[in-house]
């Protein structure tokens, strides 16, 4: 059996900063600051600064940050929220949980983010907001999206779960809309060692409302202005994130190096399409996603060669059983529908050695050289 090439390597990631992480964990234990506390407060200040936002409200996970943001925006029953047809389900299940109706928009043909033309087409008098997702680490077309939002007085909630530090025309994602949500799930570009999330905003009222809602409806002990939820960041995760923040820019460069190498070694293969970077974007490569008509065959071949791959995501949101009630047909979202059977995510993580990248590409070349289209 050939040496395994993992999709991600969280063990190598931990080893690269083991002493610091262990020290940070020890500090939380000694201070018994398990839920919120000084490490969480420090993280919120640090993260707001890194994301170039005035306020950061931390919470239990990225899904909650979307929900909390929508509750603070005042989302209500009868309202409609626009979201891309291809994303992780958190983006849209939280719209429903906040009480509004999910309205799907197809993604663009060449990139995997929400199509501004679809946004225009789906706006009704019930539409209140847009959730662009910077999928795989590349910004959606925020220039056009912000123009549309302004024209129609819609709020914009950026789902930045996969795109920490990505930019569009030199501006960092998360700073375009009213509010941005982030996930620190362990495999994300900035990951905790458990679940964690945050929302950032420049609007103080929104930040206060989000903090209140996430903490049982009140920030002062014994006072509950509204009913809220319990979604707090714990001290261990905050201390770990505080260690990791300073490395994020370097890890992003490593991801960019690997992505460039993939594109260099894979472009020119007939039948395989490397990812496109839209003009003006700096991609942070949470995932490196190729497209091919022979996706399932290629994935099976790579598995035989002991190369792990992933499909993100194999069923576009409108076609999931969870959204059966909306009665969508494949032709309603032609790009998302085509992509779901063509996309394949290749291994990418900051510690990935170049020899692994080369081997993945060699295996892919071998696949196209030695197998025939069925
Ligand atoms: C990971 C992710 C989320 C949710 O984050 P969790 O921390 O896992 O709850 C939301 N949106 C997108 C696009 C994601 O990839």
């Amino acid at each position: 059996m050939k040496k395994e090439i993992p999709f991600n390597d969280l063990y190598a990631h931990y080893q690269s900063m083991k002493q610091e992480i262990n020290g940070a964990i020890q500090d939380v234990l000694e201070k018994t600051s398990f839920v919120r506390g000084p490490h969480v407060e420090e993280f919120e200040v640090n993260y707001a600064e890194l994301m170039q936002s005035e306020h950061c409200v931390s919470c239990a996970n990225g899904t909650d940050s979307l929900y909390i943001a929508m509750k603070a925006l005042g989302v209500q029953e009868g309202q409609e929220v626009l979201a891309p047809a291809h994303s992780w389900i958190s983006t849209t299940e939280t719209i429903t949980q906040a009480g509004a109706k999910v309205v799907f928009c197809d993604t663009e043909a060449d990139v995997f983010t929400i199509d501004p033309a679809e946004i225009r087409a789906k706006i009704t008098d019930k539409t209140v907001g847009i959730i662009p997702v910077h999928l795989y680490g590349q910004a959606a077309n925020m220039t056009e999206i912000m123009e549309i939002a302004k024209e129609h007085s819609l709020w914009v909630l950026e789902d930045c779960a996969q795109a920490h530090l990505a930019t569009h025309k030199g501006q960092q994602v998360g700073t375009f809309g009213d509010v941005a949500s982030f996930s620190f799930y362990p495999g994300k570009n900035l990951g905790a060692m458990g679940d964690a999330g945050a929302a950032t905003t420049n609007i103080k009222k929104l930040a206060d409302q989000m903090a209140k809602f996430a903490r049982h409806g009140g920030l002062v002990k014994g006072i509950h202005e509204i009913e809220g939820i319990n979604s707090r960041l714990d001290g261990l995760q905050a201390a770990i994130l505080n260690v990791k923040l300073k490395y994020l820019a370097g890890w992003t460069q490593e991801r960019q190096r690997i992505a460039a190498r993939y594109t260099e070694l894979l472009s020119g293969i007939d039948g395989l399409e490397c990812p496109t970077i839209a003009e003006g974007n700096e991609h942070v490569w949470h995932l490196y996603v190729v497209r091919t008509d022979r996706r399932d065959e290629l994935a099976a071949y790579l598995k035989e060669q002991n190369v792990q791959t992933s499909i993100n995501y194999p069923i576009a949101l409108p076609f999931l059983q969870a959204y059966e009630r909306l009665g969508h047909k494949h032709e309603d979202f032609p790009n998302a529908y085509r992509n779901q059977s063509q996309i394949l995510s290749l291994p990418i993580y900051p510690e990935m050695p170049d020899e692994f990248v080369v081997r993945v590409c060699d295996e892919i070349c071998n696949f196209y050289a030695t197998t025939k289209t069925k």
Side-chain angles (χ1 to χ4, degrees):
M1 195 75 167
K2 289 180 185 169
K3 188 173 162 112
E4 176 171 76
I5 298 186
F7 187 67
N8 193 354
D9 190 345
L10 293 179
Y11 184 74
H13 195 57
Y14 168 52
Q15 294 305 309
S16 74
M17 54 193 156
K18 184 172 179 166
Q19 301 306 331
E20 265 187 294
I21 295 281
N22 289 2
I25 290 172
Q26 196 71 40
D27 190 51
V28 175
L29 300 184
E30 292 298 331
K31 293 193 170 107
T32 66
S33 49
F34 298 129
V35 176
R36 288 208 58 90
H39 303 92
V40 174
E41 279 164 30
E42 187 191 332
F43 172 72
E44 287 180 338
V45 171
N46 291 343
Y47 197 67
E49 192 188 334
L50 188 65
M51 292 302 121
Q52 304 181 350
S53 283
E54 301 211 358
H55 311 280
C56 167
V57 176
S58 62
C59 62
N61 56 69
T63 308
D64 278 2
S65 65
L66 288 161
Y67 176 60
I68 290 163
M70 275 187 269
K71 293 301 282 187
L73 286 163
V75 167
Q76 285 167 18
E77 218 178 295
Q79 298 182 334
E80 294 177 357
V81 175
L82 305 176
H86 215 169
S87 181
W88 177 241
I89 192 168
S90 300
T91 311
T92 51
E93 64 187 354
T94 49
I95 297 173
T96 310
Q97 283 151 12
K101 183 180 174 209
V102 181
V103 177
F104 289 112
C105 299
D106 202 6
T107 49
E108 298 198 53
D110 300 330
V111 290
F112 300 101
T113 45
I114 192 167
D115 183 351
E118 275 276 301
I119 295 178
R120 286 193 189 278
K122 301 272 170 94
I123 290 176
T124 71
D125 54 4
K126 295 195 183 104
T127 310
V128 290
I130 311 168
I131 310 186
V133 180
H134 308 307
L135 201 71
Y136 306 153
Q138 165 155 246
N141 186 341
M142 293 313 293
T143 306
E144 281 203 44
I145 291 168
M146 292 314 296
E147 256 173 46
I148 299 169
K150 213 168 162 190
E151 248 171 67
H152 295 268
S153 303
L154 307 176
W155 51 254
V156 174
L157 160 54
E158 293 177 68
D159 185 339
C160 303
Q162 303 188 358
H164 319 69
L165 296 184
T167 64
H168 172 73
K169 297 192 177 163
Q171 187 179 339
Q172 230 166 267
V173 298
T175 62
F176 291 89
D178 299 83
V179 54
S181 74
F182 292 88
S183 165
F184 310 116
Y185 178 78
K188 296 288 160 82
N189 287 25
L190 176 65
M193 291 176 168
D195 276 313
T200 58
T201 181
N202 288 333
I203 306 168
K204 179 153 195 319
K205 228 178 105 181
L206 207 53
D208 290 345
Q209 196 64 22
M210 290 194 291
K212 210 189 294 175
F213 182 72
R215 287 143 71 181
H216 297 295
L219 300 178
V220 179
K221 201 174 171 173
I223 309 290
H224 303 272
E225 297 168 44
I226 53 171
E227 287 180 320
I229 60 168
N230 174 9
S231 183
R232 297 172 297 211
L233 183 61
D234 69 69
L236 287 169
Q237 301 311 332
I240 288 163
L241 288 166
N242 279 329
V243 168
K244 295 180 82 173
L245 278 178
K246 60 179 173 297
Y247 299 118
L248 181 59
W251 292 331
T252 303
Q253 280 176 3
E254 291 303 302
R255 288 177 180 275
Q256 289 168 337
R257 169 186 63 79
I258 294 161
R261 205 69 174 118
Y262 270 136
T263 300
E264 173 198 339
L265 297 172
L266 295 176
S267 50
I269 296 181
D270 204 22
L272 186 83
E273 197 187 316
C274 292
T276 304
I277 305 176
E279 208 189 308
N281 277 353
E282 189 177 335
H283 202 313
V284 297
W285 303 104
H286 174 57
L287 296 170
Y288 188 92
V289 179
V290 296
R291 289 193 285 199
T292 167
D293 288 334
R294 301 173 66 195
R295 192 268 314 275
D296 291 340
E297 267 180 272
L298 176 60
Y301 180 88
L302 290 173
K303 192 175 174 199
E304 270 169 38
Q305 311 311 316
N306 226 4
V307 173
Q308 290 183 359
T309 60
S310 168
I311 298 170
N312 308 86
Y313 301 90
I315 304 177
L317 295 172
F319 314 132
L320 289 170
Q321 195 184 341
Y323 294 106
E324 226 168 48
R325 64 177 187 277
L326 298 176
H328 285 304
K329 296 190 228 39
H330 292 154
E331 53 269 32
D332 296 342
F333 307 98
N335 292 334
Y337 180 60
R338 184 200 57 226
N339 287 341
Q340 74 175 24
S341 62
Q342 292 191 341
I343 49 173
L344 186 66
S345 310
L346 304 182
I348 189 164
Y349 53 93
E351 298 78 14
M352 187 174 180
D354 189 60
E355 62 187 271
F356 278 16
V357 183
V358 171
R359 210 189 92 216
V360 174
C361 296
D362 283 347
E363 305 291 10
I364 293 173
C365 290
N366 283 342
F367 168 79
Y368 282 98
T370 59
T371 63
K372 286 239 151 45
T373 311
K374 276 191 199 120

